[in-house]
Amino acid sequence: MASKATKTMSSKYDIVNNQLRSDLPDFTSGDTIKIDVKIKEGEKFRTQTFEGLVIKTQGSGITYSVVVRKLSNGVFVERTFPLHSPIVDSVTVLKKGRVRRARIYYIRNLSGKAARIKEVLPPKKEKK
């Protein structure tokens, strides 16, 4: 019986591994990203861009998801995206931010200059 259980487990992993995306960039909390999402309207699909600050990443493998926060018409909107889902068309990192925490929920209570996140600058080139 152990062989049947092992056989079904390996087939489940094979199915999941076939659905994982390999085109996702590296990003963490504090980064500003742009996610293109496919939206179905009637029979047609269109692409909508959601650009904002990553405040949380969670999960691993097929369950990896990210919460992105953006300002829309004076109201902050947070949306959770499962990144390995077929509705996510592409992900682009616009800015790398430097934060000390993995989940930056404290940004919800800040406004104005206090809500800024320091940007990570590329390393300087040495002069010869």
Side-chain angles (χ1 to χ4, degrees), residues 2-3 7 15 17-18 20-21 35 40-41 55 64 68 71 78 80 85 88-89 91-92 96 102 111 114:
S3 63
K7 189 175 184 180
I15 292 170
N17 287 336
N18 290 337
L20 291 176
R21 298 175 65 137
I35 298 180
K40 185 175 182 181
E41 291 181 344
I55 63 168
Y64 186 63
V68 182
L71 181 66
E78 291 181 8
T80 303
S85 171
V88 174
D89 195 26
V91 178
T92 309
K96 297 289 250 180
S111 62

Side-chain angles (χ1 to χ4, degrees), residues 21-33:
R21 298 175 65 137
S22 59
D23 61 341
L24 296 175
D26 291 333
F27 59 88
T28 58
S29 296
D31 295 349
T32 303
I33 63 171

Side-chain angles (χ1 to χ4, degrees), residues 3-92:
S3 63
K4 285 184 180 179
T6 310
K7 189 175 184 180
T8 58
M9 289 296 284
S10 65
S11 63
K12 289 179 186 177
Y13 288 120
D14 291 339
I15 292 170
V16 169
N17 287 336
N18 290 337
Q19 295 177 1
L20 291 176
R21 298 175 65 137
S22 59
D23 61 341
L24 296 175
D26 291 333
F27 59 88
T28 58
S29 296
D31 295 349
T32 303
I33 63 171
K34 180 174 74 169
I35 298 180
D36 293 330
V37 184
K38 294 178 191 171
I39 295 179
K40 185 175 182 181
E41 291 181 344
E43 298 296 319
K44 296 182 180 181
F45 283 94
R46 70 179 178 87
T47 303
Q48 185 178 41
T49 302
F50 195 92
E51 182 180 326
L53 178 70
V54 177
I55 63 168
K56 176 175 88 167
T57 59
Q58 80 177 30
S60 64
I62 198 78
T63 63
Y64 186 63
S65 64
V66 62
V67 176
V68 182
R69 177 181 170 94
K70 78 170 188 175
L71 181 66
S72 177
N73 295 325
V75 178
F76 282 100
V77 178
E78 291 181 8
R79 187 165 173 194
T80 303
F81 295 99
L83 291 181
H84 294 287
S85 171
I87 66 161
V88 174
D89 195 26
S90 67
V91 178
T92 309

